[in-house]
């Protein structure tokens, strides 16, 4: 099973150029069968631009999470702490085996989904959106 994540274009591009090896989240999907992520580059791109396999998923207090991921975070420390401002802990999804699509895909036409607030589960047989 795959999960669709809405990611700002500047960060989505860093995933595929290799400078961002962790995707940070305040909340994470619960389904243990999720093995890969479809990367939906949010506005103004609004396309699925690629996918990656999930390595490990880390959950730590913010100081520990930043310490373990900062070298390949693709973001500044200030941005990290701003993003998690109201949280005591956070999640980092390790990015493995990334693949950028030659032709970006339409979330609606190719996956029959609308852009998720947080994430959406997707497989070829069914879909479930979580906001």
């Amino acid at each position: 099973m795959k999960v669709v994540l809405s990611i700002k274009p500047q960060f989505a591009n860093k995933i595929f150029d290799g400078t961002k090896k962790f995707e940070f989240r305040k909340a994470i999907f619960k389904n243990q069968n999720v093995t890969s992520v479809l990367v939906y580059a949010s506005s103004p791109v609004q396309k699925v631009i690629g996918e990656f396999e999930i390595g490990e998923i880390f959950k730590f207090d913010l100081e520990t999470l930043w310490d373990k991921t900062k070298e390949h975070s693709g973001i500044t420390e200030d941005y990290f702490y701003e993003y998690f401002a109201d949280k005591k802990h956070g999640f980092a999804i390790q990015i493995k085996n990334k693949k950028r699509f030659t032709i970006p895909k339409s979330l609606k036409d190719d996956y029959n989904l609308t852009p998720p607030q947080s994430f959406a589960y997707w497989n070829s047989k069914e879909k479930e959106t979580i906001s």
Side-chain angles (χ1 to χ4, degrees):
M1 178 176 281
K2 298 181 183 196
V3 70
V4 178
L5 295 181
S6 292
I7 302 174
K8 291 180 181 181
Q10 70 264 33
F11 301 131
N13 288 325
K14 286 183 174 193
I15 288 170
F16 296 106
D17 74 15
T19 57
K20 185 171 175 49
K21 296 182 181 177
F22 295 97
E23 174 58 21
F24 298 99
R25 293 283 143 166
K26 295 174 187 175
I28 201 84
F29 39 88
K30 305 273 191 276
N31 191 317
Q32 298 294 307
N33 297 318
V34 174
T35 58
S36 61
V37 170
L38 291 166
V39 177
Y40 174 76
S42 60
S43 190
V45 177
Q46 298 180 310
K47 294 281 184 188
V48 179
I49 63 168
E51 65 183 301
F52 64 84
E53 289 177 19
I54 296 170
E56 292 184 62
I57 297 177
F58 301 107
K59 178 186 178 186
F60 292 112
D61 64 88
L62 299 182
E63 188 175 327
T64 303
L65 189 64
W66 177 249
D67 199 49
K68 289 187 175 293
T69 61
K70 64 185 173 189
E71 191 175 332
H72 301 289
S73 66
I75 60 175
T76 66
E77 184 174 6
D78 285 346
Y79 188 91
F80 175 88
Y81 283 106
E82 275 177 40
Y83 176 73
F84 287 114
D86 57 344
K87 301 292 180 186
K88 289 187 174 14
H89 67 268
F91 298 89
I93 302 168
Q94 186 181 32
I95 296 163
K96 302 195 99 163
N97 301 323
K98 62 195 181 313
K99 175 183 153 195
R100 186 175 202 129
F101 298 151
T102 307
I103 300 169
K105 298 181 180 186
S106 164
L107 199 56
K108 179 160 181 33
D109 297 340
D110 295 311
Y111 301 98
N112 196 30
L113 289 171
T114 56
Q117 282 288 319
S118 181
F119 62 87
Y121 292 112
W122 186 84
N123 68 40
S124 57
K125 295 184 175 94
E126 61 182 281
K127 62 116 181 149
E128 176 185 350
T129 303
I130 308 296
S131 292

